[in-house]
Amino acid sequence: MNKQTIITILFALVAMAGQGQVKPDTITINFQLSSKVQGEKATVVYPDFMTFDTSVLHPVTDSEGRWTVQIPTYRPLHIQMWDDNKIQGVVWGALNLYCRPGTVADILLDDINDHCIFTGENAEVHNAQIAYPLKIKDFHGKMFDMPMQEAAKAIRRIHEQNHHRIDSLCTAYPDLPRGYVEILNALVGYGFGMDMTQNVLGHFSERIEDIMAQGLTTMPKEYIDLLNEVETHELFHPQGMISGDAVTYFRDVINLESMKQKGVIGIGLDDVDDMGLELITRVYPITIIDSLDVSDDVREMMKIYYYLDKCGDEMMTAERDAFLRKHLKANSYGILMGYLENKKVMFSAPAEEETGTLTEATLDSLTDGQKIFRKLILPYRGRVIYIDVWGTWCGPCREEMEHLPKLHETLNGLPVTYMYLANNSPKELWKKSAVRYGLDCTDCVNLRLPNSQQQAIEEYLGLKGYPTYVLVAPDGTIVNNNAPRPSEASRVRDAIQKLTEKSK
């Protein structure tokens, strides 16, 4: 089952559930290649409201050089498109579409004369970005190489330069569509907020132990002053762009607001036994999200994201249901319930007939993420499987692996298999890491799959970042795709013990 099918099922489930008035609409994209070449593959990438992840489609041109895709959505989307085959003469590169639900984008790609023309409701903005392209600069990832105030000056300078470039473009072309100018300004605000927030959080995190050692329980004024420069309501695209960066921003803003409003003491997570409801209500109080100057749409996304981030796909309890009903609007509650119900079905143990089919199939013959995953875990039925999705390039992944000896010691005697799935990791580094971290020990399965299969698995699991830990019950059911980390060894043991007791 591919991701597009899963999303379609999600919409159907929510509609049948009748929770609120959840009525997803459709964005239609009609593409025409003027040379009428058949078999050219494109990539269409768009954000998924629920998982805060990207969904990917790969339409292929027919004999007339055409393809059509329909994207179900509850809200405006930022959609990206590009040509996978790099047709000679085509210079359009990645196209950014900003589409409202219920609208149509008609695209004529003149690959003979290197020209792209949009028609339809969103055409004016789309044609303007092609005719008058403007790359928005940012400072992502560079602020940690310099002191916080110095980085803040650099971020302000880039922010001013971006606005100056927009003003210059508007002066040179006074008839620019207003929607295109709004998009450019929103992207500039988003980049500034993202950079400044990460600058404050990153540097504050480095100093938090020293600050607490001085007896301080609140965030020092120098950090708060920088945060006050960030207007949170500017930082989200007016057309509803949701991306990995937006999720990072959600997390950073709430962390910082928690420290600002509640103080530094008590923010740590080590003393929290239930990383589900209690974490949301106590460590990340819902009042923090309600206090932010953001639109209701963004506020609902933040609440849903934090629920999924802390509770994952764990069983819905009466307490959690009451919590969600209280804090979410009817539409958002319905969307979330449909999503969780779909995950429950999708992550369930394979049927007996499917198990027989998978046993006979070879791994390299499989392309569907669900089937690949079930094939991998099939030999270990009857045991709990603790899966680590990581990469040799990922610093947090390597930091967590330093805790593996203690984890293995803590789980000693339990029927658990450790499975490591390496993302985009060079073969030699992967081999060295296996030796360094003991990934080839007893009860360990260390895998480096082809990129296409690894990506398919990650899409099936709904990964939001690296590392990600997944718990699989002895019958093959995925019970948590956001499981505790190796550094939380006692929590991992508690979760595994519950699964082993249930299976008896």
Side-chain angles (χ1 to χ4, degrees):
M1 185 183 295
N2 60 35
K3 193 164 187 178
Q4 179 63 24
T5 303
I6 291 167
I7 292 172
T8 303
I9 292 173
L10 165 60
F11 293 137
L13 284 167
V14 174
M16 288 189 297
Q19 298 287 353
Q21 297 299 314
V22 183
K23 296 180 179 178
D25 211 329
T26 300
I27 295 171
T28 302
I29 303 175
N30 298 318
F31 176 87
Q32 171 74 59
L33 190 64
S34 62
S35 63
K36 299 185 178 181
V37 176
Q38 183 174 5
E40 295 293 345
K41 188 170 73 169
T43 296
V44 179
V45 179
Y46 62 95
D48 181 344
F49 173 85
M50 277 309 314
T51 63
F52 300 94
D53 198 359
T54 52
S55 295
V56 184
L57 302 175
H58 294 288
V60 178
T61 54
D62 62 15
S63 59
E64 294 297 313
R66 297 175 302 195
W67 53 256
T68 295
V69 296
Q70 290 188 321
I71 299 173
T73 182
Y74 297 91
R75 60 197 312 277
L77 294 183
H78 170 209
I79 304 167
Q80 289 187 309
M81 291 173 39
W82 59 88
D83 165 51
D84 285 10
N85 301 99
K86 306 286 189 297
I87 303 171
Q88 187 173 3
V90 176
V91 295
W92 53 285
L95 293 177
N96 292 281
L97 283 67
Y98 302 94
C99 299
R100 300 182 305 279
T103 61
V104 178
D106 294 312
I107 306 170
L108 173 62
L109 179 59
D110 185 351
D111 56 318
I112 299 173
N113 299 303
D114 300 335
H115 193 52
C116 185
I117 303 171
F118 285 90
T119 56
E121 292 92 330
N122 306 290
E124 192 178 44
V125 171
H126 297 157
N127 285 323
Q129 66 173 329
I130 292 175
Y132 312 105
L134 188 65
K135 171 69 174 174
I136 303 300
K137 296 181 180 179
D138 60 51
F139 200 61
H140 294 352
K142 303 170 189 172
M143 66 279 295
F144 305 123
D145 296 329
M146 58 182 70
M148 182 179 68
Q149 295 293 351
E150 186 180 334
K153 290 180 182 179
I155 294 167
R156 292 190 200 102
R157 186 165 57 249
I158 289 175
H159 185 57
E160 292 170 2
Q161 290 171 349
N162 279 328
H163 275 302
H164 177 71
R165 292 166 70 232
I166 294 174
D167 291 342
S168 298
L169 187 67
C170 292
T171 300
Y173 305 100
D175 295 329
L176 279 177
R178 186 178 68 178
Y180 180 47
V181 178
E182 288 176 352
I183 286 171
L184 291 176
N185 279 307
L187 289 172
V188 168
Y190 178 85
F192 172 74
M194 178 74 177
D195 286 340
M196 190 65 83
T197 306
Q198 288 223 312
N199 179 37
V200 176
L201 183 62
H203 285 95
F204 183 64
S205 298
E206 289 178 355
R207 287 196 55 210
I208 193 166
E209 290 185 5
D210 294 337
I211 290 171
M212 292 175 68
Q214 296 170 25
L216 298 177
T217 60
T218 58
M219 183 179 288
K221 185 175 182 298
E222 61 176 317
Y223 297 96
I224 294 177
D225 287 345
L226 287 183
L227 280 180
N228 288 338
E229 292 186 39
V230 182
E231 296 290 338
T232 55
H233 64 276
E234 291 184 354
L235 305 184
F236 295 94
H237 202 289
Q239 296 296 324
M241 179 175 65
I242 293 298
S243 65
D245 280 351
V247 170
T248 301
Y249 180 71
F250 287 172
R251 184 170 57 245
D252 290 352
V253 166
I254 295 174
N255 281 341
L256 288 166
E257 284 293 328
S258 295
M259 293 176 188
K260 242 170 77 174
Q261 295 185 25
K262 303 297 181 183
V264 177
I265 301 297
I267 295 299
L269 308 183
D270 292 341
D271 59 339
V272 180
D273 295 323
D274 177 12
M275 283 285 282
L277 190 60
E278 184 178 348
L279 187 84
I280 294 174
T281 54
R282 186 168 72 81
V283 181
Y284 295 109
I286 221 72
T287 54
I288 294 292
I289 298 176
D290 285 333
S291 72
L292 296 173
D293 185 12
V294 295
S295 68
D296 287 344
D297 207 15
V298 169
R299 200 181 314 284
E300 293 291 284
M301 287 184 210
M302 284 186 169
K303 291 177 181 179
I304 289 174
Y305 168 72
Y306 263 94
Y307 181 84
L308 291 173
D309 187 49
K310 303 310 172 189
C311 296
D313 299 303
E314 295 174 3
M315 184 182 300
M316 180 59 63
T317 63
E319 185 183 25
R320 288 179 179 177
D321 184 69
F323 171 83
L324 292 169
R325 285 181 182 273
K326 177 181 177 181
H327 293 289
L328 291 177
K329 293 181 179 179
N331 276 17
S332 298
Y333 174 85
I335 293 170
L336 178 59
M337 289 302 102
Y339 173 80
L340 292 174
E341 181 61 31
N342 181 60
K343 277 296 183 72
K344 183 179 177 181
V345 173
M346 185 173 61
F347 282 0
S348 62
E352 191 173 334
E353 56 270 23
E354 185 185 355
T355 300
T357 303
L358 287 173
T359 302
E360 296 174 2
T362 59
L363 182 61
D364 58 8
S365 68
L366 302 175
T367 57
D368 178 82
Q370 185 182 52
K371 291 181 179 178
I372 297 169
F373 184 84
R374 287 180 169 176
K375 174 74 174 177
L376 293 179
I377 66 173
L378 194 58
Y380 312 103
R381 284 178 74 95
R383 296 174 63 85
V384 175
I385 308 174
Y386 183 68
I387 297 173
D388 181 346
V389 186
W390 71 293
T392 56
W393 44 267
C394 168
C397 301
R398 298 193 301 270
E399 289 175 12
E400 284 295 327
M401 285 186 169
E402 298 290 351
H403 297 276
L404 290 182
K406 181 180 177 182
L407 177 68
H408 293 168
E409 180 183 347
T410 304
L411 302 185
N412 186 39
L414 292 176
V416 57
T417 294
Y418 307 88
M419 182 176 289
Y420 301 93
L421 300 176
N423 170 282
N424 198 27
S425 299
K427 190 172 184 178
E428 289 306 313
L429 284 177
W430 171 69
K431 287 181 176 180
K432 289 179 180 178
S433 296
V435 174
R436 175 178 176 180
Y437 300 116
L439 306 187
D440 52 357
C441 67
T442 304
D443 295 330
C444 288
V445 182
N446 185 28
L447 299 171
R448 178 179 172 273
L449 299 170
N451 286 340
S452 59
Q453 289 191 324
Q454 179 73 18
Q455 182 179 349
I457 288 176
E458 292 179 9
E459 288 182 2
Y460 165 59
L461 294 175
L463 257 69
K464 300 182 183 73
Y466 304 91
T468 289
Y469 302 92
V470 180
L471 269 177
V472 182
D475 68 351
T477 298
I478 298 174
V479 293
N480 194 344
N481 66 340
N482 188 28
R485 297 175 170 230
S487 56
E488 304 165 310
S490 60
R491 292 189 55 240
V492 177
R493 182 179 178 86
D494 290 345
I496 290 177
Q497 281 182 323
K498 289 178 183 177
L499 291 179
T500 55
E501 289 169 3
K502 281 184 180 180
S503 65
K504 291 179 180 178

